[in-house]
């Protein structure tokens, strides 16, 4: 694990430097507790400090999480550790539940990533200081702790949501780590428990700055009628995972440098997966200062970065849904693609059950790949070839449920997408960028990108010219693309001060 020098780490601790939050954890040998660098507790002596690059590493070294600074609330920068793309992809899969459940294994995980199991373990040790299994377990425990402290979910649900087989097992592990039972962490004032189905609100922290206005404008322009609603500064949508249905609402809490996420979903086992999607969609894991600084080295791009500090690269909520959007968006405007998506949902989407109808404007869940693959006709007003392409996409997604999860290298991912009928280079790059969150993906032939580039350059470049130009933006071309798109987008009519 490549941490800064010990004395730099200690200085970060002394000054409670928020720039190190999420990147650095300190284990205090005199107390056996580990903290975030921003912990309000008295700074420990230098000789009592051990520094770690991840909460999992601190836990694996035998430290317990601090109850004051709550390491589970540090910004989750997991996918930014080190320079290993394999580790980033593995962490995305772990967040998605790749190591949860009885059938999961590191062997299968490494197979999906195209590396050997031993190599994956070595990479994890180098970049995170902990094994893949330890990282997954640390996530589960910290998530359960967050649920205990931020919600009133019953302990049986907390145990399930944390991926523990039973309440007994949960209690055991928790006692081992914290030296006390989970229920003692509940605030005394909270009376009675409330099942998750009635709504769970959690906070997801990010590293500032965060350009919320641009994110919301992006989502608003693309909101699929019936599935997504953007209004009054919030984003709401319907959720369907493995046949379970619910809703989620996301708001901005700038003073807390967090997003507030309210989930209505009966199947609590899927809460971590839903939060992982929120993190992906809203790009909360970006080390945005580093990215903005890198892009500012390009004098032509610098003014645009300065204009929108903290601009994020939105991810796809769901890989299949995102890929469908990409195909619907071929050759047409964003507004036209949105309309087509609305038609598709109205013809093939499952109706949201009555219990959720209090969520105004939300009426359908997005159709599954299985539904579209089985549909006799797509029945949406667009060329026959593109309808066939949607069908081929749905069939490919049914044949391989992991199609839109990270695997192998970016080139392999692009090649796999391109093997689907009607998916060309632009669509494949776009899917890699949004669904796989490949931060270096770059759909150079995109009309909006070329228009944005012409704002920067004064003349419209060719796709290959833009591709050459983009070399200096590596390894974060996706963020450069976002700035180019934003540069050519009209200002949203109602920019809200979040
Ligand atoms: Zn602390």
């Amino acid at each position: 694990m490549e941490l800064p020098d010990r004395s730099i780490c200690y200085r970060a601790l002394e000054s409670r430097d928020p720039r190190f939050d999420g990147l650095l954890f300190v284990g205090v040998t005199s107390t056996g507790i580990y903290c975030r660098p921003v912990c309000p507790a008295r700074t420990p002596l230098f000789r009592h400090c051990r520094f770690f690059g991840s909460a999992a590493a601190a836990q694996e070294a035998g430290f317990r999480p601090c109850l004051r600074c709550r390491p589970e609330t540090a910004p989750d920068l997991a996918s930014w550790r080190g320079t290993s793309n394999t580790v980033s992809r593995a962490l995305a899969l772990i967040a998605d539940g790749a190591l949860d459940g009885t059938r999961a294994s590191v062997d299968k995980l490494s197979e999906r990533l195209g590396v050997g199991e031993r190599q994956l373990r070595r990479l994890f040790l180098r970049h995170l200081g902990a094994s893949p299994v330890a990282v997954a377990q640390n996530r589960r425990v910290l998530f359960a702790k967050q649920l205990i402290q931020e919600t009133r979910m019953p302990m049986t649900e907390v145990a399930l949501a944390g991926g523990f087989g039973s309440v007994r097992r949960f209690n055991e592990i928790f006692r081992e780590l914290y030296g006390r039972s989970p229920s003692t962490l509940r605030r005394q004032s909270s009376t009675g428990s409330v099942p998750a189905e009635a709504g769970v609100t959690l906070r997801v922290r990010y590293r500032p700055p965060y350009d919320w206005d641009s994110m919301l404008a992006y989502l608003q322009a693309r909101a699929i009628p019936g599935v997504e609603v953007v209004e009054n500064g919030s984003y709401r949508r319907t959720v369907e995972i493995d046949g379970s249905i619910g809703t989620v609402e996301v708001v901005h809490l700038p003073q807390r440098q967090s997003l507030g996420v309210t989930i209505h979903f009966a199947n609590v086992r899927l809460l971590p997966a839903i939060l992982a999607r929120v993190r992906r969609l809203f790009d909360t894991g970006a080390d945005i200062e580093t990215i903005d600084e890198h892009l500012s080295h390009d004098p032509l791009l610098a003014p645009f970065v300065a204009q929108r500090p903290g601009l994020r690269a939105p991810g796809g909520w769901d890989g299949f849904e995102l890929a469908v959007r990409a195909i619907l968006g071929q050759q047409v405007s964003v507004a036209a693609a949105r309309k087509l998506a609305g038609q598709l949902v109205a013809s093939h989407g499952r109706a949201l059950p009555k219990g959720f109808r209090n969520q105004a404007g939300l009426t359908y869940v997005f159709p599954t790949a299985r539904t579209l693959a089985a549909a006799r006709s797509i029945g949406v007003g667009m060329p026959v070839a593109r309808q066939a392409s949607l069908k081929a996409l749905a069939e490919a997604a049914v044949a391989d449920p992991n199609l839109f999860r990270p695997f192998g290298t970016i080139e392999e991912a692009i090649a796999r997408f391109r093997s689907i009928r009607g998916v060309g280079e632009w669509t494949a790059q776009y899917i890699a960028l949004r669904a796989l969150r490949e931060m270096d993906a770059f759909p150079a032939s995109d009309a909006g990108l070329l228009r944005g580039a012409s704002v920067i350059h004064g003349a419209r470049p060719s796709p290959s010219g833009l591709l050459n130009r983009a070399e200096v933006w590596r390894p974060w071309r996706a963020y450069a693309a976002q700035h180019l798109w934003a540069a050519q987008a009209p200002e949203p009519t109602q920019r809200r001060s979040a």
Side-chain angles (χ1 to χ4, degrees):
M1 177 68 218
E2 292 129 34
L3 275 176
D5 184 76
R6 268 179 63 80
S7 58
I8 294 175
C9 291
Y10 192 69
R11 230 176 297 141
L13 197 62
E14 279 182 308
S15 57
R16 302 197 168 83
D17 191 336
R19 287 173 306 159
F20 286 81
D21 195 14
L23 294 171
L24 183 69
F25 296 85
V26 58
V28 185
T29 53
S30 52
T31 59
I33 283 169
Y34 76 91
C35 285
R36 294 157 63 194
V38 294
C39 186
R42 200 154 56 92
T43 309
L45 294 174
F46 183 65
R47 63 189 161 89
H48 289 159
C49 291
R50 280 184 64 192
F51 297 101
F52 300 96
S54 69
Q59 181 174 303
E60 195 143 74
F63 293 95
R64 285 190 236 160
C66 173
L67 294 176
R68 283 189 74 181
C69 62
R70 304 180 54 204
E72 71 274 17
T73 63
D76 184 1
L77 303 176
S79 48
W80 290 90
R81 298 321 169 92
T83 51
S84 166
N85 285 328
T86 304
V87 172
S88 298
R89 291 180 190 121
L91 286 168
L93 288 169
I94 290 173
D96 229 18
L99 289 182
D100 299 344
T102 44
R103 282 179 306 158
S105 73
V106 179
D107 200 24
K108 277 188 203 153
L109 176 65
S110 46
E111 198 178 306
R112 247 202 246 174
L113 293 161
V115 297
E117 189 181 339
R118 283 181 58 192
Q119 193 193 348
L120 188 65
R121 284 180 204 281
R122 262 203 311 274
L123 282 171
F124 262 65
L125 270 186
R126 193 163 92 220
H127 292 282
L128 295 160
S131 69
V133 169
V135 167
Q137 202 212 41
N138 179 256
R139 289 187 76 93
R140 284 199 287 270
V141 170
L142 290 184
F143 181 57
K145 183 167 173 285
Q146 187 180 11
L147 291 177
I148 292 171
Q149 291 190 293
E150 292 183 18
T151 78
R152 288 166 63 193
M153 278 168 64
M155 285 300 168
T156 44
E157 287 192 359
V158 172
L160 280 181
F164 299 92
S166 66
V167 178
R168 203 170 61 93
R169 181 85 190 111
F170 172 49
N171 279 329
E172 270 170 22
I173 292 181
F174 207 87
R175 269 181 194 284
E176 236 169 73
L177 286 170
Y178 292 87
R180 56 167 88 190
S181 76
S183 52
T184 57
L185 287 187
R186 268 270 142 94
R187 284 196 192 92
Q188 299 304 316
S189 58
S190 61
T191 48
S193 53
V194 180
E197 203 171 1
V200 174
T201 300
L202 291 163
R203 288 199 295 268
V204 171
R205 197 180 296 252
Y206 58 78
R207 277 163 69 82
Y210 191 107
D211 186 348
W212 175 253
D213 285 348
S214 291
M215 175 60 82
L216 218 53
Y218 171 90
L219 294 172
Q220 187 164 31
R222 289 159 184 79
I224 302 174
V227 174
E228 300 171 290
V229 173
V230 176
E231 61 184 8
N232 304 325
S234 88
Y235 170 81
R236 290 185 286 122
R237 68 160 297 143
T238 58
V239 181
E240 192 273 344
I241 304 177
D242 300 342
S244 301
I245 286 181
T247 62
V248 63
E249 174 166 17
V250 182
V251 297
H252 191 208
L253 307 170
Q255 290 85 4
R256 293 180 175 276
Q257 303 180 346
S258 302
L259 304 182
V261 183
T262 301
I263 303 166
H264 287 85
F265 209 80
N267 187 347
V268 293
R269 287 173 204 269
L270 291 170
L271 285 185
I274 294 174
L275 272 189
R277 284 165 183 240
V278 169
R279 288 195 161 102
R280 186 167 67 202
L281 175 62
F282 287 90
D283 191 22
T284 56
D287 184 359
I288 202 73
E289 262 187 319
T290 306
I291 296 166
D292 281 0
E293 195 197 317
H294 175 75
L295 297 180
S296 296
H297 288 158
D298 181 333
L300 288 178
L301 199 56
F304 295 89
V305 178
Q307 201 183 331
R308 291 185 182 81
L311 183 72
R312 306 287 164 142
W317 172 261
D318 170 82
F320 176 66
E321 176 185 307
L322 188 281
V324 169
R325 283 168 183 261
I327 289 178
L328 293 176
Q330 288 173 352
Q331 316 285 332
V332 300
S333 69
V334 168
R338 180 182 175 220
K339 206 169 146 197
L340 290 173
Q343 289 172 9
L344 186 78
V345 164
S347 336
H348 301 284
R350 199 167 136 197
L352 191 68
K354 276 209 174 63
F356 297 105
R357 288 297 172 81
N358 55 335
Q359 299 276 10
L362 300 181
T363 45
Y364 293 103
V365 294
F366 197 83
T368 61
R370 204 164 284 282
T371 305
L372 287 189
R376 201 174 300 165
S377 138
I378 297 291
V380 172
M382 59 182 191
V384 175
R386 222 165 294 148
Q387 305 218 19
S389 171
L390 273 188
K391 197 93 174 156
L393 179 79
E395 281 158 9
V398 170
D400 178 3
N402 291 322
L403 183 60
F404 300 110
R405 296 220 166 91
F407 63 91
T409 64
I410 177 169
E411 290 79 16
E412 284 165 344
I414 298 283
R416 204 151 111 178
F417 295 148
R418 289 203 61 165
S419 72
I420 301 166
R421 180 178 171 187
V423 174
E425 181 67 15
W426 173 85
T427 310
Q429 289 280 351
Y430 191 78
I431 295 171
L433 191 164
R434 298 263 184 252
L436 300 186
R437 311 255 326 113
E438 285 290 351
M439 294 297 96
D440 208 25
F442 193 76
S445 61
D446 183 84
L449 267 192
L450 293 166
R451 270 200 305 278
S454 72
V455 174
I456 287 182
H457 283 272
R460 192 179 164 120
S462 66
S464 64
L466 182 58
L467 208 52
N468 283 334
R469 188 70 185 69
E471 277 303 304
V472 294
W473 302 328
R474 282 181 188 274
W476 289 304
R477 293 188 303 179
Y479 288 86
Q482 206 60 38
H483 278 289
L484 294 185
W485 275 315
Q488 56 92 31
E491 286 289 295
T493 41
Q494 307 159 290
R495 270 184 87 92
R496 292 182 189 84
S497 54

